Amino acid sequence: MLELIESLEKTGLSELSAVSTPDALEAWRLSYLAGSGKLKAAMAGFKDVPREQKPAVGARMNQVKAALEAAFEEKKAVISAGAAAHAERIDVTEPGFISSQSFGRAHIITRVIEELCEVFGRMGFAVAEGPELEDDEHNFIKLNIPAGHPARDPIDNFYVDSPLTNARPRMIRSQTSTVQIRVMEAAVKEGGGRLARPIKIVSPGRVYRPDTVDATHSFMFHQIEGLYLDRNVSMVDLKTTLLQFARAYFGEDAEVRLRPSFFPFTEPSAELDMKIRLRPDQPARWIELGGCGMVDPAVLELCGIDPEEWGGFAFGFGIERIAMGRYGIPDIRLLFENDLRFLRQV
Ligand code: DAH
């Protein structure tokens, strides 16, 4: 009986050591450990073992059973670890397959804003931002547009508070010129109540006006505002800056012109037009990009800046108009309808 058990252990362990697949392991388990297996069969002979040998044979039998079971568990762990490692093996040199998935990208307006900030950045303008929810102090009063001015008419603005019952009604801004005021206020605060350094910023952002939508108008659009304050800034600097901008952004043959105009916050004021061909079948025509001028001394005073010491120019252009000119987009509505067939083209 003892010999039978010993040989069972020997052959069992040696056969198990040759096992390398889950199927072979299962066959081994059935052969040795299962109810119909060799171990059970050997144990059946225990009843015939002489009584005095029973404790020793019994102990040895338990040892062999434990040894075979432990060896089985160990092998099982090795084989399943191997299978997992195999499953995870990836050939990194395999070429990937090109999926039909398309990649997103920034909207054309966002890209134009980035390009404009880059071009003005090269001319020394930092980028400033301001809130879209404004008050009439920044949208009007400090821009020299006092109470009663026609530009404040509720027909032409999106007021949040009624301008009839509120002294300081809030509104969603109708122009990015609000940021000029905020930047000047912040610089004066920084200087302890006076302006102590030049200001040179551009500020892109959304503006809102209850305009009727057509090919060149929308109730929401984007502007880029510019402000340059220093000692001895002249109209020539304004003209040069705008010409340089036009050539850098639209190309050396860009045609621009300044037309005398009026804005409450600049004196003198001008409008910047650019010759743009919006449709290939139509001749290029003059399109108004926005306004500009020398900052009115009244605005500087309202912001706590001494107009005897500081002066400069400002401008505010429509970004959609610039995008339309730069990329030949004939209708502003295309920019907001988000038709993928259009967005993929530009
Ligand atoms: N804020 C003006 C508008 O929306 C545009 C403008 C004109 C901005 C002259 C300026 C400027 O900074 O100097 O129509």
Side-chain angles (χ1 to χ4, degrees):
M1 182 68 191
L2 260 183
E3 277 163 34
L4 178 66
I5 301 168
E6 299 294 343
S7 89
L8 200 61
E9 182 180 34
K10 232 176 114 193
T11 55
L13 291 178
S14 89
E15 274 178 37
L16 185 62
S17 70
V19 163
S20 62
T21 67
D23 286 349
L25 184 66
E26 179 59 7
W28 184 90
R29 190 188 68 82
L30 290 172
S31 162
Y32 283 90
L33 301 181
S36 56
K38 291 174 183 156
L39 200 61
K40 263 278 160 56
M43 279 172 158
F46 187 67
K47 61 182 190 312
D48 303 325
V49 173
R51 202 185 159 78
E52 65 281 8
Q53 288 176 21
K54 272 197 168 146
V57 172
R60 184 70 190 121
M61 222 152 79
N62 282 338
Q63 274 177 0
V64 169
K65 180 171 183 270
L68 291 176
E69 280 172 356
F72 169 78
E73 289 302 331
E74 201 177 299
K75 190 68 163 193
K76 196 167 122 185
V78 170
I79 287 177
S80 59
H86 188 76
E88 274 177 19
R89 205 176 299 146
I90 293 168
D91 181 356
V92 293
T93 65
E94 278 269 304
F97 57 90
I98 314 251
S99 76
S100 57
Q101 188 183 334
S102 57
F103 294 95
R105 57 175 170 155
H107 187 274
I108 179 76
I109 289 297
T110 306
R111 295 207 312 273
V112 169
I113 287 174
E114 280 166 8
E115 289 163 2
L116 295 175
C117 289
E118 207 264 333
V119 170
F120 280 111
R122 274 188 270 147
M123 293 195 266
F125 289 83
V127 177
E129 278 187 80
E132 288 176 27
L133 179 61
E134 267 293 4
D135 48 41
D136 77 339
E137 183 179 338
H138 294 90
N139 201 92
F140 294 130
I141 293 175
K142 288 189 167 171
L143 284 163
N144 201 26
I145 309 174
H149 193 282
R152 305 167 61 118
D153 196 322
I155 289 282
D156 298 322
N157 295 283
F158 284 115
Y159 282 100
V160 173
D161 304 317
S162 166
L164 299 176
T165 51
N166 287 273
R168 288 279 141 92
R170 290 170 304 160
M171 59 187 300
I172 43 177
R173 68 184 178 191
S174 65
Q175 49 185 353
T176 46
S177 303
T178 53
V179 187
Q180 286 186 37
I181 302 302
R182 291 196 174 270
V183 168
M184 287 190 275
E185 284 175 341
V188 167
K189 199 170 165 202
E190 175 198 300
R194 56 178 292 271
L195 186 64
R197 58 163 174 86
I199 293 175
K200 202 172 187 185
I201 58 103
V202 285
S203 183
R206 290 191 184 91
V207 298
Y208 303 83
R209 291 177 197 177
D211 277 343
T212 305
V213 175
D214 64 22
T216 48
H217 294 87
S218 167
F219 52 85
M220 184 284 290
F221 59 100
H222 297 73
Q223 287 185 326
I224 185 161
E225 192 78 13
L227 175 67
Y228 176 37
L229 288 189
D230 208 333
R231 299 171 173 103
N232 303 320
V233 183
S234 76
M235 191 88 184
V236 175
D237 299 304
L238 170 62
K239 233 183 141 171
T240 311
T241 301
L242 296 184
L243 190 61
Q244 274 179 354
F245 155 70
R247 289 192 176 147
Y249 193 62
F250 293 95
E252 280 303 313
D253 50 358
E255 269 188 88
V256 288
R257 73 176 181 199
L258 283 178
R259 230 173 347 101
S261 184
F262 173 81
F263 297 100
F265 32 90
T266 42
E267 180 58 37
S269 305
E271 236 143 354
L272 180 75
D273 295 340
M274 195 172 145
K275 211 160 197 185
I276 290 171
R277 183 195 301 273
L278 290 180
R279 291 175 180 277
D281 56 333
Q282 282 175 5
R285 59 188 176 101
W286 289 105
I287 303 272
E288 181 194 315
L289 292 187
C292 59
M294 303 309 291
V295 180
D296 195 304
V299 172
L300 297 176
E301 270 170 0
L302 285 165
C303 293
I305 295 172
D306 179 5
E308 296 295 327
E309 185 181 0
W310 301 97
F313 63 73
F315 56 83
F317 302 137
I319 291 179
E320 280 75 8
R321 298 270 177 100
I322 293 176
M324 290 163 78
R326 176 73 176 76
Y327 293 100
I329 300 164
D331 192 314
I332 196 172
R333 288 167 289 200
L334 288 165
L335 294 166
F336 302 121
E337 283 166 350
N338 286 333
D339 185 329
L340 282 178
R341 290 170 301 180
F342 167 76
L343 293 178
R344 284 197 182 108
Q345 277 178 52
V346 288

